[in-house]
Amino acid sequence: MSHTIKTILAVDDEPNMLRLLEISLRQAGYKPLTARDGREALEIIRSQHVDCVVTDLHMPYMSGLQLLKAIRGEALDEAQHKSSKAQSNPDLPVIIVTAQGEVKTAIDAMKNGASDYILRPFDLEELELAISRALSFARLVVENQFLREEKTSDIGIVGNSPPMQQLFDAIRQVAPEKATVLIAGETGTGKELVARAIHAGSPRKEGLFVAVNCAAIPHEMLESELFGHEKGAFTGAIKERVGKFELADGGTLFLDEITEMPMQLQAKLLRALQENVIERVGGNRQIDVDIRVVAATNRDPKQAIADGKLREDLYYRLNVFRLDLPPLRMRKSDIASLAQHFLAQRRAAISVDAIQALTGYDWPGNVRELENVLERAAIISGNQTILPKHLPAEMVNHVTLAASDSGVATNTLALPPALEALERRLISEALAITQGNKSKAAKLLEISERSLWYKISQYEIH
Ligand SMILES: Nc1ncnc2c1ncn2[C@@H]1O[C@H](COP(=O)(O)OP(=O)(O)OP(=O)(O)O)[C@@H](O)[C@H]1O
Ligand SMILES: [Mg+2]
């Protein structure tokens, strides 16, 4: 990703507000463009490059919501006819600015593809945060696009091995129901992918798929993240906030790493699941919600109960339907098709002995590790054919050892300097995107926080 200055288009019919936005954006280091209504905004988007749109909801001629729909609709048309420049348009992030009483409209906007919303009056920091979140998300979406298009199976998950075929059958069965699903499996086995497939295969697919990673959100913030809060509920709660439960109304709520949720919050969650109502923090209003919950854990649920990390009653409520994701080492026959799937996006190839090397390895990080290894290997090989020498040493090790009798050189085991440089760059970028927040950066890089700390000190990144 480049660190060039991003262009942000502000749209508001109120001249003073527009001016304020323009000044704020410039102060935050962006290049601001302004439009007084939706039509003007569309003109600008058509004629020049824009990285993100921040728009008011109520405007003459064309509301913020209509503008949003026009951007999405137009982007689709353009993508079909034109090439390079138009391709980033379907994912052009749009942030909605709205007044406090209008959260419902904001949710509507989110359902129509807005990236985020902020409530008026907002401060510069809030605006910046929303923009930087929207921009980094846009990047992920663009990168994932190939993945989405290229999926062949109706479920969109790669795998021909018997355990995966069984899993697909189970997904097809449970997806249309409202039943709660508990997905268990080691890290990187595809739990989130399965959760999304369940949502996509359900009658709720028009609603939102809202993911909450219970491990990534500080305990004291998790309750308000899930249930929302009323204005003044606690110090710092200067505005009302809609929680993920309300946002996922009519859709699917994905509770990732459920065992990391504090026990007393698990009790509140259980109540919400049983009664289909929630209360915001600091409120006494009962809000009806229609939610399908899919939960995931990379621990053994029974063990988590024994360790006091998971309430037994919640477990029985979640475990109505259980999906166990097999680790990659138990289905090595999937490695070749997964490799092909990941490499097709880069139009890279892989040699037979490299596939053999991949199959000989145990994959503690499962499919995610395979994806990362292949991505790096493709870069090192210049997107040509991946050979064993492009793979990490521990995978090639036993292959070359076996081959060393026949005089094959083993000096291919050194970590290629290109790999180090790449890793260093990815880490710096992740830290820049997350403004130095190591736990968010680790999430983005899909490595543990501990290994991020290790690499930062190893590479002396500041
Ligand atoms: N069967 C599969 N086919 C295609 N891609 C897969 C498959 N399984 C996993 N992936 C990819 O591997 C990566 C990791 O998958 P995912 O995030 O779903 O794992 P997870 O089980 O949620 O991991 P964690 O417990 O660490 O959160 C993703 O990029 C996902 O798209
Ligand atoms: Mg996950």
Side-chain angles (χ1 to χ4, degrees):
M1 190 197 57
S2 67
H3 292 281
T4 49
I5 295 175
K6 299 290 181 190
T7 306
I8 314 293
L9 174 61
V11 193
D12 204 314
D13 59 317
E14 166 62 52
N16 287 331
M17 194 55 214
L18 194 58
R19 181 93 188 103
L20 183 69
L21 269 170
E22 186 183 9
I23 295 169
S24 309
L25 289 168
R26 188 167 293 121
Q27 240 176 54
Y30 299 115
K31 177 184 165 201
L33 298 175
T34 59
R36 283 165 303 181
D37 57 55
R39 293 187 302 194
E40 221 175 274
L42 283 176
E43 282 297 309
I44 293 176
I45 293 167
R46 240 175 249 136
S47 61
Q48 52 182 302
H49 176 81
V50 172
D51 291 298
C52 178
V53 177
V54 178
T55 181
D56 186 23
L57 265 182
H58 297 294
M59 294 179 296
Y61 311 123
M62 186 186 258
S63 72
L65 196 59
Q66 283 170 319
L67 172 62
L68 171 69
K69 286 179 180 167
I71 290 173
R72 295 288 176 252
E74 180 183 277
L76 285 179
D77 283 344
E78 266 187 9
Q80 278 160 8
H81 302 304
K82 296 188 204 156
S83 52
S84 55
K85 194 180 155 250
Q87 274 176 5
S88 60
N89 262 356
D91 300 311
L92 175 62
V94 177
I95 297 169
I96 303 285
V97 180
T98 184
Q100 295 226 17
E102 289 184 333
V103 177
K104 267 249 164 317
T105 334
I107 294 177
D108 255 8
M110 298 281 289
K111 289 182 176 163
N112 278 289
S115 322
D116 206 348
Y117 69 90
I118 46 180
L119 293 181
R120 242 195 263 280
F122 53 85
D123 53 32
L124 185 56
E125 209 177 315
E126 273 176 273
L127 179 66
E128 267 189 86
L129 192 68
I131 292 175
S132 71
R133 252 196 323 237
L135 289 176
S136 57
F137 182 71
R139 182 172 156 244
L140 295 179
V141 171
V142 170
E143 285 171 358
N144 277 327
Q145 220 163 38
F146 280 109
L147 207 79
R148 262 188 271 142
E149 286 164 3
E150 197 235 315
K151 293 267 166 68
T152 44
S153 85
D154 59 336
I155 292 180
I157 303 173
V158 177
N160 293 314
S161 60
M164 289 306 274
Q165 291 300 325
Q166 275 174 23
L167 177 75
F168 296 165
D169 286 342
I171 292 174
R172 284 191 201 97
Q173 269 175 10
V174 74
E177 311 292 331
K178 200 185 168 183
T180 308
V181 180
L182 180 62
I183 306 173
E186 290 178 14
T187 179
T189 45
K191 295 186 293 296
E192 177 149 1
L193 205 60
V194 167
R196 286 180 189 277
I198 291 172
H199 174 70
S202 78
R204 334 185 119 242
K205 63 170 182 285
E206 303 303 330
L208 288 182
F209 176 87
V210 178
V212 180
N213 186 331
C214 302
I217 299 166
H219 281 186
E220 64 279 8
M221 280 169 62
L222 194 54
E223 181 171 10
S224 121
E225 184 78 14
L226 284 173
F227 297 103
H229 62 245
E230 299 290 357
K231 184 174 171 178
F234 47 83
T235 332
I238 43 173
K239 289 164 207 166
E240 64 166 330
R241 178 90 205 158
V242 170
K244 301 291 192 202
F245 257 93
E246 277 175 80
L247 205 55
D249 193 13
T252 304
L253 181 64
F254 176 51
L255 298 173
D256 204 358
E257 308 211 31
I258 187 79
T259 62
E260 304 311 304
M261 180 184 288
M263 290 296 255
Q264 126 255 4
L265 195 53
Q266 289 186 19
K268 185 166 175 181
L269 170 66
L270 179 61
R271 224 173 310 125
L273 290 181
Q274 276 164 346
E275 290 159 25
N276 291 314
V277 290
I278 58 146
E279 267 171 30
R280 290 186 186 165
V281 177
N284 45 21
R285 234 166 1 121
Q286 304 247 310
I287 302 173
D288 291 326
V289 284
D290 167 28
I291 298 281
R292 201 257 184 102
V293 167
V294 177
T297 177
N298 50 27
R299 290 163 149 262
D300 171 13
K302 289 271 189 215
Q303 189 57 46
I305 294 171
D307 294 345
K309 300 280 286 177
L310 180 62
R311 286 180 63 107
E312 196 165 11
D313 47 8
L314 177 64
Y315 167 73
Y316 286 117
R317 185 70 188 70
L318 295 176
N319 202 38
V320 175
F321 201 99
R322 165 86 162 267
L323 294 175
D324 286 292
L325 263 57
L328 188 55
R329 64 181 169 283
M330 308 290 284
R331 45 178 168 116
K332 287 192 167 176
S333 62
D334 285 338
I335 289 178
S337 45
L338 281 166
Q340 242 155 27
H341 167 73
F342 291 133
L343 291 175
Q345 304 155 38
R346 314 186 138 264
R347 306 190 197 305
I350 184 161
S351 72
V352 174
D353 46 354
I355 290 276
Q356 266 165 7
L358 296 177
T359 314
Y361 180 68
D362 252 5
W363 301 106
N366 294 294
V367 184
R368 178 179 297 115
E369 187 181 9
L370 176 64
E371 190 176 4
N372 291 342
V373 163
L374 288 172
E375 185 176 355
R376 280 154 209 232
I379 293 172
I380 299 165
S381 75
N383 281 325
Q384 302 288 312
T385 300
I386 295 176
L387 304 172
K389 69 173 178 190
H390 299 127
L391 300 173
E394 65 266 35
M395 285 167 210
V396 191
N397 233 337
H398 60 272
V399 175
T400 36
L401 282 184
S404 64
D405 293 341
S406 51
V408 174
T410 49
N411 59 0
T412 52
L413 298 186
L415 184 70
L419 181 61
E420 262 186 50
L422 173 73
E423 193 161 75
R424 195 191 292 263
R425 211 196 72 212
L426 285 174
I427 291 174
S428 304
E429 272 186 15
L431 287 169
I433 291 172
T434 60
Q435 296 164 333
N437 182 324
K438 297 204 178 51
S439 110
K440 284 185 188 158
K443 270 272 40 105
L444 203 61
L445 292 162
E446 304 195 330
I447 60 177
S448 73
E449 214 175 318
R450 202 171 38 155
S451 61
L452 178 62
W453 280 100
Y454 172 74
K455 285 174 196 297
I456 287 175
S457 74
Q458 187 190 13
Y459 293 145
E460 296 176 336
I461 296 171
H462 303 288

